[in-house]
Amino acid sequence: MHLFSGFQARDWLLANDPALSRLRMALRVTLTIVFSFLVLLAIHMAILPLPTAAFGLGIVLSIEGGVAVRDKGNSRQLITRLFGCAASLAVVGIAAGLEDHRLLSDLIFLAVIALASAGRVFGPRGFAIGMFAFTSYFMGAYFRPPLAELPAVAIGPVVAVLVGHLVRAVLLPDDWRRDLLRSLESVRGRINQILFKLAVINGAEIGETDRQELRQLEDRLKEVVLMAETFIPRPPAGVFDGAADPAAELAIRLFDAHLAAESAIVLSFQSPPPFPLVHAVIEADMAELARFEGMVDAVGDQPQDETVRALLWLGKARQQLTQAIGEGRASGFSEIDDSKDMVQSQAIDFSLANPLLRAALQITIASAIAMSFGLLLSRERWFWAVLASFLVFTNTNSRGDTAMRALSRSLGTVFGIAIGLVLATLISGEPDIAIPVAAVCIFLAFYFLQVSYATMTFFISIVLCLVYGMTGVLTLDLLKLRIGETMIGAAAGTAVAFIVFPTRTRGALDSALARWFQALRDLLGALGEGKSGFELMALSQKIDACYRDVTVAARPLGSSWSVVTRPGQIRQTLAIFLSCTYWARILAKSYEAPASDDNLNRLIAADLALIDDAAPRGSSCFLIKRKASRTTGRHLPLSREGARLGLEMIGSALERLYPQADVLPFAAGEAIARSKQG
């Protein structure tokens, strides 16, 4: 029973956290904080009394070391941590030295914020060092250690850096082979979920609720496939040389499984598969699968024949994926060389055309505003306002994103303080209970960081309430002050995002759509040049990645609190782009460069003409009211002429972006009509 429960728990974790990356990061942060605190406490009790600033810096930099250090390889991570530690010690010294000159100290803080934000142009290392510097100056100005205590204060950052590296390099190390295996298991698990759903439908007509659930399962599958692809080492150019490469073979199996699962869903909408076939695929019943394969060997004209073929294809792809997982468990993917997985260095743009530098200016101005209003509210606690204004710009690409993050931080803070106040009151004077509860909240905060920023802020706010309670400074006025300062910082960040170098949500969406259209244009252009194989597969994967960027950029438009609330239109338009992305993958798999095929060439030209017409219109396609579209019942012969069908369906999807009669140029429409007749 316990063994079964263990397997259930593991399956649940893999289903919600492919490769267990969120679990590992949360454990790293929690263990680093705990071990750093214990080491500092041991030093404090046995060797040298340490000031509070040493503990504060040790805890804060333990968090930054677990979240901000994103370099690949232990040696690179150690170098980044050491540079971050040096930056931390330098800015703490500056903050301590300027304590008697508060105005100058505040101005230097803004300079540190500007440099820390601008450092992101140097990649992961610049981002991490910048975060170390910002949080260290924040803590230095908050605790105000005397110059005489600086040597003791420096022990905090040093311990945090060393403990953080040991936790990440020894206790919970990165291992792309292990992560690849787990992500492949998650892919198989999500394919199984799709099959189980088709089995529950039991051959009946698929209703709208079932369609929505299958689409959600398809989205979850796409998410984990994209993750698994990142773990497969690739050449710097991103394209494999040939199928003999073990990494290339694995990439093909993953690509095939993803495409087969999507095809099974698409065709099931048209004609549900028979239950015995779905059951045979789930159970890997080779005799039953061979019987169904024999039934469709002759070319059929009924829609269900194509559904059966898609399920048989999915069954084979699932078996190949299972075989790859078994081989990975046995060999640890030792045959795959990871030395080729190198990042090509790119020139850095130091002009304001670089969005990272524009964001640095936005963050600095927002911090200055938050500092000014925060000082009016409290001379001692204004740092919370600056912290909020700084963090609301992290991982955002438009003013809508920034506003959503500011709202998430504000709500997380309010509800976290409300719950934290209750907990701190109930366990007041019970550190044996409060400390474990705080550790659990820290773990949960960083486990949910990648899922919900509001949830992370909620748990961190609870931790702060518990810390205030254990140190005896918890008051209702203090908590009200924290909420007020957080609101000031969030409001400052949102206002600056809308006024200074504003990146409109529509503008960010236009940029994402331009990249998607260009990726599709590149794929069609490669077809015209006679390319095939891995080059087409890589180009179709690029379209998939660009589609993901489109969904992220469109997210603020569909938010329930947004001024622009069109969730129905947003989903319908995204469905068109998703359809086009799917058929691009079908096209990449099916296309074999022909010596000459005027029909395909006309289709390629027609699709390129549609792209040239739609791309300049950008995000205006999201403003069109659309009628709910249902499957037309058209026979989809994926088993033959897949390339031709892919081109036709891409053209059909592009036409639906702008359904007006003048969208489709006469020449393009005539070419598509001729191709459908021929």
Side-chain angles (χ1 to χ4, degrees):
M1 181 68 179
H2 292 296
L3 181 62
F4 179 70
S5 298
F7 281 123
Q8 278 187 322
R10 186 174 184 275
D11 290 342
W12 182 87
L13 281 173
L14 284 174
N16 293 277
D17 180 19
L20 302 181
S21 56
R22 288 164 46 202
L23 175 66
R24 194 160 57 250
M25 185 182 74
L27 284 173
R28 282 172 178 166
V29 173
T30 306
L31 291 177
T32 303
I33 291 175
V34 171
F35 291 157
S36 296
F37 178 79
L38 292 176
V39 170
L40 291 172
L41 186 62
I43 294 173
H44 177 75
M45 298 179 66
I47 302 175
L48 174 70
L50 296 178
T52 306
F55 287 91
L57 280 166
I59 292 173
V60 170
L61 294 189
S62 294
I63 295 174
E64 295 301 341
V67 175
V69 178
R70 303 171 183 174
D71 303 84
K72 289 188 176 181
N74 291 334
S75 59
R76 291 181 181 178
Q77 290 170 6
L78 180 59
I79 292 172
T80 298
R81 291 176 190 275
L82 292 176
F83 275 121
C85 184
S88 172
L89 298 177
V91 298
V92 169
I94 293 173
L98 295 177
E99 176 54 33
D100 295 332
H101 305 84
R102 296 301 305 164
L103 179 59
L104 181 59
S105 176
D106 295 346
L107 293 176
I108 294 297
F109 192 12
L110 291 177
V112 169
I113 290 172
L115 292 174
S117 305
R120 297 174 183 181
V121 300
F122 295 101
R125 178 166 293 169
F127 173 80
I129 295 173
M131 292 302 296
F132 271 69
F134 167 75
T135 52
S136 296
Y137 200 101
F138 175 91
M139 298 302 290
Y142 185 81
F143 286 108
R144 304 177 187 176
L147 289 174
E149 292 184 353
L150 284 183
V153 171
I155 295 175
V158 172
V159 168
V161 164
L162 295 179
V163 170
H165 184 70
L166 288 175
V167 168
R168 185 159 185 172
V170 179
L171 292 181
L172 295 168
D174 290 316
D175 184 349
W176 68 265
R177 291 181 169 86
R178 174 200 60 206
D179 293 340
L180 175 58
L181 180 60
R182 286 174 176 167
S183 61
L184 291 177
E185 290 175 341
S186 294
V187 170
R188 183 177 60 179
R190 295 191 178 183
I191 289 175
N192 289 341
Q193 289 177 339
I194 292 171
L195 290 169
F196 292 151
K197 180 60 185 177
L198 291 175
V200 169
I201 293 171
N202 197 16
E205 183 179 352
I206 298 179
E208 189 58 34
T209 301
D210 292 330
R211 287 171 181 267
Q212 289 291 343
E213 188 172 343
L214 282 169
R215 291 190 186 103
Q216 290 174 358
L217 291 174
E218 182 182 352
D219 289 340
R220 297 186 70 195
L221 174 64
K222 181 189 295 292
E223 169 193 322
V224 72
V225 166
L226 289 171
M227 174 179 285
E229 288 173 349
T230 64
F231 294 127
I232 301 177
R234 295 176 180 273
V239 180
F240 294 108
D241 295 330
D245 187 338
E249 181 181 355
L250 182 58
I252 290 175
R253 290 186 182 185
L254 186 62
F255 183 87
D256 210 41
H258 182 198
L259 192 53
E262 284 192 316
S263 298
I265 292 175
V266 169
L267 291 166
S268 294
F269 288 165
Q270 175 181 303
S271 177
F275 174 78
L277 174 59
V278 179
H279 183 266
V281 173
I282 293 174
E283 298 296 330
D285 186 340
M286 303 308 297
E288 186 70 4
L289 291 175
R291 184 178 73 84
F292 273 98
E293 191 168 5
M295 291 170 56
V296 296
D297 272 343
V299 177
D301 292 326
Q302 297 301 316
Q304 193 171 47
D305 293 333
E306 287 301 322
T307 307
V308 169
R309 289 190 179 95
L311 262 294
L312 291 172
W313 175 20
L314 178 57
K316 291 178 182 178
R318 180 170 170 263
Q319 289 175 7
Q320 291 177 345
L321 186 62
T322 300
Q323 181 182 356
I325 291 172
E327 293 170 354
R329 286 174 180 161
S331 66
F333 299 110
S334 58
E335 72 279 5
I336 297 180
D337 180 16
D338 62 344
S339 62
K340 67 177 118 179
D341 193 12
M342 298 177 294
V343 178
Q344 291 179 308
S345 59
Q346 298 179 348
I348 299 175
D349 180 8
F350 289 101
S351 71
L352 286 178
N354 188 334
L356 292 175
L357 288 179
R358 293 200 302 271
L361 185 57
Q362 287 177 314
I363 292 171
T364 305
I365 295 174
S367 298
I369 295 172
M371 181 184 294
S372 302
F373 285 93
L375 283 168
L376 294 177
L377 195 60
S378 170
R379 181 63 217 182
E380 303 298 323
R381 308 286 181 176
W382 60 270
F383 304 102
W384 289 330
V386 175
L387 181 66
S389 65
F390 184 93
L391 293 179
V392 295
F393 284 95
T394 304
N395 295 328
T396 60
N397 58 12
S398 70
R399 63 189 188 185
D401 265 352
T402 304
M404 289 176 64
R405 193 172 179 88
L407 181 64
S408 296
R409 185 172 185 86
S410 300
L411 292 176
T413 299
V414 170
F415 287 104
I417 285 178
I419 300 299
L421 179 60
V422 174
L423 282 176
T425 302
L426 291 175
I427 58 179
S428 176
E430 300 288 344
D432 293 343
I433 301 176
I435 291 175
V437 170
V440 170
C441 287
I442 290 172
F443 170 83
L444 292 173
F446 291 98
Y447 182 78
F448 288 105
L449 173 61
Q450 298 174 4
V451 177
S452 169
Y453 186 65
T455 304
M456 186 276 289
T457 307
F458 169 79
F459 284 113
I460 289 296
S461 298
I462 293 177
V463 172
L464 289 175
C465 289
L466 294 174
V467 171
Y468 293 152
M470 287 186 286
T471 55
V473 298
L474 180 66
T475 64
L476 188 58
D477 288 338
L478 179 64
L479 297 181
K480 288 181 179 178
L481 181 60
R482 174 165 177 79
I483 292 175
E485 295 284 0
T486 299
M487 296 291 187
I488 287 173
T494 303
V496 169
F498 274 78
I499 297 172
V500 181
F501 294 122
T503 302
R504 298 169 58 245
T505 301
R506 289 275 306 276
L509 184 54
D510 285 337
S511 299
L513 287 173
R515 294 191 296 271
W516 184 88
F517 278 117
Q518 185 57 51
L520 181 58
R521 187 181 285 112
D522 291 342
L523 175 64
L524 296 176
L527 298 180
E529 295 171 4
K531 296 180 180 179
S532 59
F534 286 114
E535 289 180 291
L536 296 186
M537 190 175 81
L539 289 171
S540 71
Q541 289 172 329
K542 183 180 178 182
I543 297 172
D544 218 13
C546 290
Y547 169 75
R548 181 176 51 179
D549 293 341
V550 170
T551 62
V552 171
R555 182 176 54 197
L557 291 177
S559 300
S560 58
W561 63 271
S562 177
V563 176
V564 181
T565 307
R566 302 186 182 92
Q569 293 172 225
I570 302 302
R571 284 195 295 267
Q572 289 171 358
T573 306
L574 284 176
I576 296 175
F577 285 102
L578 176 61
S579 172
C580 210
T581 301
Y582 163 71
W583 289 109
R585 285 196 296 276
I586 289 286
L587 179 58
K589 176 180 173 60
S590 306
Y591 189 81
E592 295 179 1
S596 177
D597 191 327
D598 292 337
N599 209 15
L600 288 180
N601 289 335
R602 284 196 298 269
L603 282 169
I604 292 171
D607 287 353
L608 286 171
L610 287 167
I611 292 174
D612 290 339
D613 184 82
R617 304 188 182 207
S619 58
S620 59
C621 57
F622 283 88
L623 305 178
I624 297 174
K625 291 186 178 181
R626 306 177 187 277
K627 295 180 180 179
S629 60
R630 297 294 300 271
T631 303
T632 61
R634 180 186 172 196
H635 183 201
L636 303 178
L638 293 181
S639 57
R640 38 193 182 90
E641 299 188 24
R644 173 181 169 179
L645 177 64
L647 288 168
E648 288 184 1
M649 296 304 290
I650 288 172
S652 176
L654 292 173
E655 287 176 357
R656 295 204 310 275
L657 285 177
Y658 296 99
Q660 297 90 345
D662 62 336
V663 169
L664 184 63
F666 176 77
E670 186 182 22
I672 292 179
R674 283 200 303 266
S675 68
K676 290 179 179 178
Q677 292 172 359

